[in-house]
Amino acid sequence: MSRAEAAEPAEAPEPSSRIKFSSPRQIPIVGVVTEDEEVQGAFKSMDLNRVIKLFEETGKDDLEQRQLKSVKKLVQCYQNGFPLRDLAQIFKILNLCAEKIKTQPHFIEPAYNIIKLCGLPFLKKKASDEITYAEDTANSIGLLGDLMKIQNSELRIQICKCVIDFYHAEPPKKHITGYQQASSSYKIKMAEVGELAKTMIQSLELLENQLVEKLWVLKALQHLSTSEVNCTLMVKAQAASGICAHLNDPDPSGQLLFRSSEILWNLLEKSSKEEIIQQLSNLKCLLALKEVFKNLFIRGISHYDRQLRNDILVITTIISQNPGAPMIESGFTRDLILFATFNEVKSQNPLVKGLKLSNSYEDFELKKLLFNIIVILCKDLSTIQLLIDGKVILALFTYVKRPEKHKILEWSAAQYEELQLHAIATLSSVAPFLIDEYLFYKGNDQVLEFLAWCDNEDSFFSHGNSFHGAGGRGNKFAQMRYSLRLLRAMVYLENDTINKDLCENGAIQQLIGIFKNTISKYNDKEEAILLEIQSDILLILSGLCEYHIPGKEIFGTEGVDIILHVMKTDPKKLQSGLGYNVLLYSTLDSIWCCILGCYPSEDYFLEKEGIFLLLDLLALNQKKFCNLILGIMVEFCDNPKTAAHVNAWRGKKDQTAASLLIKLWRKEEKELGVKRDKYGKIVDTKKPLFTSFQEEQKIIPLPANCPTIAVMDVAENIRAKIYAVLGKLDFENLPGLSAEDFVTLCIIHRYLDFKIGEIWNEIYEEIKLEKLRPVTTDKKILESITAASENIGKMVVSLQSEMIESQARQDVQNEQKVYTKIQATHKQRELANKSWENFLARTSNAKTLKKAKRLQEKAIESSRYGERPPNAIFHRTDIKGLNATVPSGGVVTVESTPARLVGGPLADTDIALKKLPIRGGALQKVKAVKTVDEPKKSDPA
C-alpha cells in the first residue's frame, strides 16, 4: 500500500464496501437543525450532560432506544466537527458506548460514527481554546488507542483511519458561524501528549492473526513515527522488537514488510539508536531479518524489492555494531559473507547457484553495503573462521589489480572503480585479522605491484565520483592512497614475516621513489591527498626500519633527502589544515625510526644541516612538536658530532640553542604551575620541582610496580629531555646566555638531584601513611637524604642570589658608563655652542673681531722662532688686508714664481692657463690633487 492510499479520505467508503451493522431495527434520525440555522451553519445547543446521565441510568425498558436516539442526535448535531469545549463530554459518551458494546452490539454503529467525526478538524470558538482545553483534548485522543481493545474489526479500522486523518485533515463541509478550525498540527501535538502511539503499539499484540487490521495499525504507526516524541513513546513500548519479529509474517500484498521497515527506519532516526539496537539484538528479530533479506536477495526482481532489500541490510548493519547481537548464532553472518563474495569466488552453495548481480544502482549499492558489513563483522573475533571459510581475502584481492584492457566487466567503469577502492579499504580493516590468509595469497606482492601501476605514467582516467575517490579524478591518487593505507595497516602489526617480506621485495626503495614522484606531481588541487600519501609513506618506512638495521641502511641518503625536503616546508603551512601537521609528525617519526641508530645516515643528516632544521622547528614553539623533537635531540646528542652543530645554530635575534632550551624550560614550568619568584629563583627548597598538580594530589601508598606522581612527572613534560640535551652539551660552556638564563640553568643543572630527593620524600611519606616505623639506621638514612636534597636546594638558591646580585652590580656599572658617555656628549655640545657664540660675536661686532685678530696674530708670532736663520726665504701664510680670524685656506703666495706665469696672487689658475698659449710640453693643465690635512674652508668674517 502506498503513501497516497494513506491520504485518501476515510469518511466516504465505496458502496460495495459499505459497512453493515447487525442492528435488528432501524432507528429514525431526529432532525435537530432548522432551515435557517442550516443556512447559517450554527450548532443547535444540546445538553450533553443529560446524554451522559441517560447512559448512566439502569433498569428502564426503553433505555437502550433512548440512548441510541440521543447518540444519533449528537452525531447529527456535530456532523461538521467537534468543538474543543465539548470534546471531553463527547468522548465520555463514546467511552460509555464502548463499555456497552460487549453486551449490546447495537452501540457499535454510534461509536463508529463518533470516531468517524473525530477525523474532522476540531473547532474552536476562541483563539485560547487550544490552550484551555489542551488537557481534555489530549486525554480524549489518548482514549482512541484504548478503544482498540474492542474486538470489532470495523471499529478498529475506523480508529486507524481517524488517526491517519490527523495528518491529512480535510476542511469542514460547511462553515460554522462563530467557530474556527483548530490548527492542522494541533491534533498531532495532542496525540503526542496523550501517548496515543504507545497504546497503538500495545494494540498490535491483540492482532496476531488479523492481517487487515494489523496493516491499518501499521499504517497509522507509520504516520505517528514521523514525530520524535511518538518514537520515544514507541520505543518505551518495545515497538522495535515487536514489529521486527513479525517482518516475515505471511502477507500477499507486501505492505506489512514495507510499513514495518519504514517504522523501524523512523525509530532509528528519531529516537535513541542504542536502545533500538538493544531491542533488535535478539535471536527472534535477527532470524526474521535473515529470512526477509534472503528472500528478497534471491527472489526480488522489481526495483521496489531491491530497494527494500537494501533497507533491510542497512538495518542489519546497524544491529551488527552491537557485539552482543547473535549474528553468528542466527546464521546471518555466514549468509552475508556468502552473498558478499559469491560474485568473485565460485561457490557451490544452492542459495547463490545461478544468481547474478546486475549493474543496476540498487545492486551496486548492495555490493558496497556488503563490503561495509564485513568490516563491522570482522571486529568480532568469533567471525574470523567464517571469513576464512568464505575466502573473503581472495575475493577482495580480485579488485587489487590494474584494469585489463578489452575485458568485459559486469560493472561500468565508474562503478568498478568505486568498488575497487571500497574493496581495498575493506582489506585494510579485514586483512590484519587474517594474517595467514594475507600471506598465503601473497598480499604484499599484489599490493606492491598495484602500487607500481599507480606510480607509472600509463594513461588512465579516474572518475573520482565516490567518497573513496575524492581527490582522484583523472589520476591514480585515490588508488595509491588506499593501497598505502592497506600497507600501513599490515606494517603496524609489527609482524616480522610481513615486514621482512616487504623489505625483500624492495618496498623501501619503491616507497622512496613514489615519494619523490609525488613531489614532482605536486599541485594545489590535489594538495590534501598528496600530503596524506606522503604521510603514509613515511609511516610505513618508519614501521619497516624501526627494529631493522638493514632496513635503515637501505633507507640511506635518499631517504634522508626526502625527510630534509619535508622539514624545509614553510612553517606558515602548518596552520593551513591541509595535513602538513600530520606530515611533519610522520617526518619526525621517520627520523627517530629510520635515521637514529644508523651512523652513516646520522652523519649525512648532520652534514645536510638537519640539526639546524630541527632547532628551527623547535623555535616555532609549538607544544605538540616539542616533546618529539627534544626526544630526537637527546638521541642525536649521543653522536659526538652533534654538539658542534647545536652550538653553531642561531635563531632569530641571534638566539642560541641553549638559550632556546632554557626559554622552553621556563615556559613549561609556568604552564605546570611551578613556584618561582620574579627573578626565577626557587621558592620552596624542599619541593623545588613541584607542579600545581602535584600540590593538589595527596600522596597515596601504591604497589611497588605502580609509578608514583613524581615518576610520572618525568614522562609527562619536557623538563627531563631539556636536562638531558643540556647535559650532553656540557652545562659549563653554553654560549649566548643572559643572567636570567643562568639563574634557570642552576635549577636545570640540579634537576636529577631534585627529582631523586622528591622520590625519596614520597617514599618517606608513604611509610608514614602506612604507619610503618623504619629501623633506626634506615630512618637516619632517609632523614639525611631529605636534608641533603634540601641543602642542594639552598645551595642553588644561594648561587642564584649571587648571580642576581652580580648582574645587578654589572647593571649599575653599565649604567654609570652610559651616564659618563652622556656627560661627555653634553660637555662637547657646550664647547661647540660656546665656539659658535664666539664666532657670532666676531661677525657682528668689529671691535671683537679686531681683538680676536690681534690675539691670533700674537699667537702666531709667539709660535715662531725668535731669530730667522740666515739665507732663509720667508713665506707669508696670510693675506695682507684680510680682516678674518679663520684660516684663509690652502692659498700660498710663492714669491719666487714669476707673476707672468700665475697672473698675480689672486689669479684664477684656469683662466690664466686659458690666456697663455701652450707650447711644447712644459706647462699643462692637470687634475687637481687633494691636499693632505687640508683645513675646511669657511666664509671670511
Side-chain angles (χ1 to χ4, degrees):
M1 188 174 290
S2 65
R3 289 180 182 270
E5 293 175 5
E8 293 177 359
E11 293 83 37
E14 294 294 329
S16 60
S17 61
R18 189 179 298 279
I19 299 172
K20 297 181 180 180
F21 298 96
S22 56
S23 177
R25 55 189 178 277
Q26 297 294 329
I27 300 175
I29 298 174
V30 180
V32 295
V33 181
T34 66
E35 291 182 2
D36 295 338
E37 289 171 340
E38 187 174 359
V39 172
Q40 297 174 1
F43 287 121
K44 181 172 180 172
S45 60
M46 184 171 184
D47 191 354
L48 296 175
N49 289 326
R50 185 177 177 184
V51 177
I52 294 170
K53 288 181 181 179
L54 182 62
F55 270 83
E56 291 174 350
E57 291 179 4
T58 55
K60 294 184 180 180
D61 296 335
D62 60 343
L63 183 61
E64 182 180 343
Q65 294 181 11
R66 291 168 58 199
Q67 290 172 341
L68 291 170
K69 181 179 178 181
S70 64
V71 174
K72 289 193 175 183
K73 182 179 178 182
L74 182 149
V75 171
Q76 183 65 23
C77 179
Y78 294 107
Q79 62 181 336
N80 290 318
F82 295 133
L84 291 174
R85 58 185 173 83
D86 297 336
L87 205 58
Q89 293 171 305
I90 292 169
F91 268 82
K92 188 172 183 180
I93 294 168
L94 176 61
N95 196 31
L96 291 170
C97 289
E99 291 174 358
K100 293 179 179 292
I101 287 174
K102 204 168 190 179
T103 56
Q104 298 170 282
H106 306 115
F107 283 94
I108 292 176
E109 183 179 0
Y112 178 93
N113 290 330
I114 293 173
I115 293 170
K116 187 176 180 181
L117 291 176
C118 289
L120 296 174
F122 293 149
L123 304 173
K124 60 183 179 181
K125 197 165 188 178
K126 300 177 182 177
S128 61
D129 282 357
E130 290 186 4
I131 299 173
T132 305
Y133 301 106
E135 186 177 354
D136 292 341
T137 306
N139 294 334
S140 300
I141 293 177
L143 182 63
L144 290 174
D146 295 330
L147 295 177
M148 291 294 293
K149 297 175 183 177
I150 299 172
Q151 296 183 1
N152 183 275
S153 178
E154 292 83 0
L155 202 62
R156 286 171 172 171
I157 291 171
Q158 184 56 48
I159 292 171
C160 294
K161 289 181 178 180
C162 177
V163 174
I164 293 168
D165 285 340
F166 290 177
Y167 297 85
H168 309 283
E170 288 188 355
K173 297 175 182 178
K174 295 180 181 178
H175 176 69
I176 309 300
T177 306
Y179 286 88
Q180 292 180 349
Q181 181 179 336
S183 61
S184 58
S185 61
Y186 184 67
K187 277 187 179 181
I188 298 172
K189 291 178 181 177
M190 292 301 103
E192 294 173 356
V193 177
E195 299 186 352
L196 176 61
K198 186 177 179 180
T199 52
M200 292 296 287
I201 283 291
Q202 292 168 349
S203 69
L204 276 176
E205 299 175 2
L206 307 172
L207 309 173
E208 289 290 338
N209 301 315
Q210 300 174 37
L211 180 61
V212 177
E213 298 168 31
K214 185 187 289 185
L215 290 176
W216 275 103
V217 172
L218 289 173
K219 187 174 180 179
L221 287 170
Q222 187 180 345
H223 286 78
L224 289 169
S225 63
T226 57
S227 159
E228 291 185 7
V229 176
N230 286 336
C231 285
T232 304
L233 294 169
M234 292 165 70
V235 170
K236 290 180 180 177
Q238 301 294 310
S241 58
I243 291 172
C244 185
H246 297 282
L247 280 176
N248 204 35
D249 287 358
D251 173 27
S253 67
Q255 293 183 44
L256 185 144
L257 181 56
F258 164 68
R259 300 198 186 283
S260 298
S261 62
E262 183 148 343
I263 292 168
L264 288 175
W265 262 115
N266 290 340
L267 291 174
L268 284 167
E269 289 177 354
K270 300 181 184 297
S271 61
S272 172
K273 190 175 179 180
E274 292 75 18
E275 181 65 28
I276 299 297
I277 292 174
Q278 200 62 39
Q279 288 186 23
L280 296 176
S281 298
N282 59 71
L283 194 59
K284 190 175 182 181
C285 289
L286 286 171
L287 285 171
L289 285 167
K290 171 191 167 185
E291 293 303 319
V292 168
F293 179 76
K294 191 190 300 182
N295 290 334
L296 290 171
F297 192 94
I298 297 171
R299 301 181 181 88
I301 299 173
S302 66
H303 172 77
Y304 163 77
D305 288 340
R306 290 171 177 171
Q307 278 189 332
L308 194 56
R309 172 199 64 191
N310 291 354
D311 289 346
I312 296 298
L313 183 55
V314 173
I315 293 171
T316 305
T317 303
I318 294 171
I319 298 170
S320 64
Q321 294 174 3
N322 179 16
M327 292 289 295
I328 297 175
E329 294 83 344
S330 65
F332 207 173
T333 299
R334 185 179 293 276
D335 288 347
L336 288 170
I337 293 171
L338 174 66
F339 293 142
T341 59
F342 82 95
N343 245 25
E344 294 78 23
V345 180
K346 291 183 179 180
S347 173
Q348 300 301 321
N349 193 304
L351 281 177
V352 295
K353 192 173 182 180
L355 193 63
K356 190 175 182 181
L357 296 177
S358 68
N359 62 354
S360 65
Y361 175 77
E362 290 76 21
D363 285 352
F364 174 61
E365 288 295 315
L366 171 70
K367 193 68 179 175
K368 293 194 294 181
L369 289 170
L370 288 169
F371 283 164
N372 187 54
I373 200 169
I374 285 176
V375 173
I376 297 171
L377 292 173
C378 74
K379 295 176 183 177
D380 183 2
L381 296 180
S382 53
T383 312
I384 300 301
Q385 188 57 47
L386 295 176
L387 294 171
I388 294 171
D389 296 341
K391 298 182 179 179
V392 172
I393 293 292
L394 177 61
L396 293 173
F397 264 119
T398 58
Y399 292 94
V400 189
K401 294 179 181 178
R402 66 177 67 194
E404 299 178 15
K405 296 180 180 179
H406 311 299
K407 184 179 180 181
I408 300 173
L409 297 174
E410 56 190 1
W411 308 103
S412 68
Q415 287 176 333
Y416 182 80
E417 179 192 338
E418 188 169 348
L419 288 177
Q420 182 185 58
L421 295 172
H422 206 142
I424 300 172
T426 304
L427 268 172
S428 301
S429 300
V430 177
F433 296 100
L434 304 171
I435 297 175
D436 293 337
E437 295 291 302
Y438 178 85
L439 292 171
F440 179 77
Y441 293 115
K442 297 183 177 179
N444 287 336
D445 293 348
Q446 295 193 57
V447 176
L448 291 175
E449 184 180 351
F450 188 69
L451 271 175
W453 171 78
C454 293
D455 191 42
N456 65 27
E457 300 296 333
D458 291 352
S459 59
F460 175 77
F461 181 79
S462 172
H463 293 77
N465 295 325
S466 64
F467 166 78
H468 297 288
R473 187 170 182 82
N475 53 54
K476 306 171 191 173
F477 290 152
Q479 287 81 354
M480 184 181 290
R481 171 169 60 175
Y482 282 95
S483 302
L484 289 170
R485 284 187 184 179
L486 172 57
L487 271 185
R488 187 186 68 189
M490 300 311 297
V491 168
Y492 267 48
L493 295 173
E494 296 183 359
N495 184 287
D496 291 338
T497 307
I498 292 175
N499 291 357
K500 186 178 179 181
D501 183 53
L502 282 169
C503 291
E504 290 175 352
N505 287 329
I508 295 176
Q509 300 96 317
Q510 184 176 345
L511 290 170
I512 292 173
I514 292 173
F515 193 102
K516 289 181 177 179
N517 290 337
T518 58
I519 295 172
S520 62
K521 295 175 183 177
Y522 177 85
N523 62 74
D524 292 337
K525 290 183 179 179
E526 286 86 23
E527 185 174 10
I529 190 172
L530 284 171
L531 291 173
E532 184 181 342
I533 288 171
Q534 291 175 348
S535 299
D536 285 341
I537 289 174
L538 292 175
L539 290 172
I540 294 167
L541 290 171
S542 299
L544 292 175
C545 298
E546 186 172 6
Y547 305 111
H548 193 232
I549 297 297
K552 293 183 179 183
E553 293 173 353
I554 296 171
F555 185 80
T557 57
E558 289 188 4
V560 175
D561 286 336
I562 64 174
I563 286 176
L564 293 171
H565 172 81
V566 177
M567 293 176 70
K568 292 174 183 177
T569 303
D570 185 358
K572 294 178 181 178
K573 292 184 177 180
L574 296 175
Q575 310 299 330
S576 64
L578 294 172
Y580 282 98
N581 276 338
V582 179
L583 179 60
L584 186 54
Y585 271 121
S586 305
T587 305
L588 294 174
D589 189 51
S590 298
I591 296 173
W592 191 289
C593 300
C594 303
I595 297 178
L596 288 171
C598 181
Y599 297 118
S601 297
E602 284 186 15
D603 291 345
Y604 185 74
F605 184 81
L606 292 171
E607 181 185 336
K608 293 295 182 179
E609 299 182 350
I611 287 294
F612 288 1
L613 295 174
L614 274 176
L615 289 168
D616 288 340
L617 289 174
L618 190 62
L620 295 176
N621 206 6
Q622 294 197 15
K623 191 173 180 63
K624 51 193 172 185
F625 298 126
C626 286
N627 206 346
L628 189 52
I629 294 172
L630 286 169
I632 294 169
M633 292 287 295
V634 171
E635 296 297 325
F636 251 113
C637 285
D638 287 337
N639 189 319
K641 300 177 183 178
T642 304
H645 287 262
V646 174
N647 288 327
W649 177 83
R650 291 295 181 271
K652 291 182 179 180
K653 298 180 180 179
D654 207 31
Q655 185 182 31
T656 62
S659 176
L660 172 62
L661 292 171
I662 293 170
K663 182 181 176 182
L664 289 173
W665 175 286
R666 282 198 295 268
K667 182 185 176 185
E668 185 75 3
E669 287 200 329
K670 186 177 181 181
E671 291 175 357
L672 293 172
V674 180
K675 292 180 180 179
R676 298 282 183 260
D677 66 6
K678 63 179 181 178
Y679 300 109
K681 289 168 52 181
I682 295 172
V683 173
D684 187 352
T685 55
K686 291 183 179 179
K687 303 173 182 178
L689 299 178
F690 252 46
T691 64
S692 58
F693 177 75
Q694 288 176 282
E695 292 283 356
E696 293 169 3
Q697 295 293 320
K698 294 181 179 178
I699 295 175
I700 303 172
L702 295 170
N705 60 345
C706 292
T708 62
I709 297 173
V711 175
M712 290 297 293
D713 174 72
V714 176
E716 289 176 352
N717 57 68
I718 62 174
R719 291 190 294 179
K721 292 184 176 68
I722 293 173
Y723 165 77
V725 174
L726 290 175
K728 291 183 178 183
L729 294 176
D730 187 1
F731 285 104
E732 302 300 327
N733 300 307
L734 299 177
L737 300 185
S738 64
E740 185 183 11
D741 292 337
F742 279 113
V743 169
T744 307
L745 188 63
C746 292
I747 301 172
I748 300 174
H749 193 189
R750 290 291 184 172
Y751 173 79
L752 188 59
D753 296 329
F754 290 147
K755 184 56 68 174
I756 292 171
E758 191 178 306
I759 292 170
W760 276 109
N761 185 59
E762 276 189 341
I763 295 170
Y764 197 16
E765 292 297 325
E766 284 186 18
I767 290 172
K768 289 180 181 178
L769 288 171
E770 292 176 353
K771 296 182 180 179
L772 300 174
R773 190 177 67 179
V775 296
T776 306
T777 307
D778 290 344
K779 186 177 180 180
K780 287 181 179 179
I781 293 171
L782 283 171
E783 289 174 351
S784 63
I785 291 172
T786 305
S789 177
E790 187 175 354
N791 289 336
I792 292 172
K794 291 177 180 178
M795 181 185 68
V796 170
V797 171
S798 175
L799 182 60
Q800 288 177 321
S801 300
E802 287 180 11
M803 288 182 176
I804 293 168
E805 290 173 4
S806 175
Q807 182 62 33
R809 287 193 298 270
Q810 185 64 39
D811 290 342
V812 170
Q813 290 176 3
N814 292 338
E815 187 177 354
Q816 190 63 44
K817 287 179 181 179
V818 172
Y819 283 139
T820 304
K821 287 182 180 179
I822 293 171
Q823 286 175 350
T825 303
H826 279 287
K827 188 173 182 180
Q828 187 65 28
R829 195 173 295 165
E830 288 174 2
L831 292 173
N833 290 338
K834 189 174 181 181
S835 175
W836 176 248
E837 289 173 0
N838 292 335
F839 177 75
L840 289 179
R842 293 197 303 273
T843 56
S844 59
N845 192 327
K847 292 181 179 179
T848 306
L849 178 61
K850 291 177 180 179
K851 184 179 178 181
K853 181 66 174 175
R854 287 195 299 271
L855 290 173
Q856 185 182 34
E857 291 175 350
K858 186 178 180 181
I860 292 171
E861 288 297 329
S862 64
S863 65
R864 291 173 177 168
Y865 289 107
E867 295 180 359
R868 184 179 301 176
N871 302 323
I873 300 173
F874 177 74
H875 298 278
R876 295 187 61 86
T877 58
D878 57 348
I879 301 172
K880 289 184 177 182
L882 185 62
N883 293 323
T885 58
V886 294
S888 56
V891 180
V892 178
T893 302
V894 182
E895 294 182 352
S896 61
T897 303
R900 59 187 178 80
L901 294 178
V902 296
L906 298 178
D908 186 344
T909 305
D910 289 342
I911 296 173
L913 288 173
K914 288 175 185 177
K915 292 178 180 179
L916 293 171
I918 306 300
R919 296 178 182 176
L923 184 62
Q924 296 181 2
K925 182 180 178 181
V926 296
K927 292 182 180 179
V929 180
K930 185 176 180 181
T931 58
V932 180
D933 296 331
E934 183 179 2
K936 293 182 180 180
K937 296 181 180 180
S938 59
D939 296 331

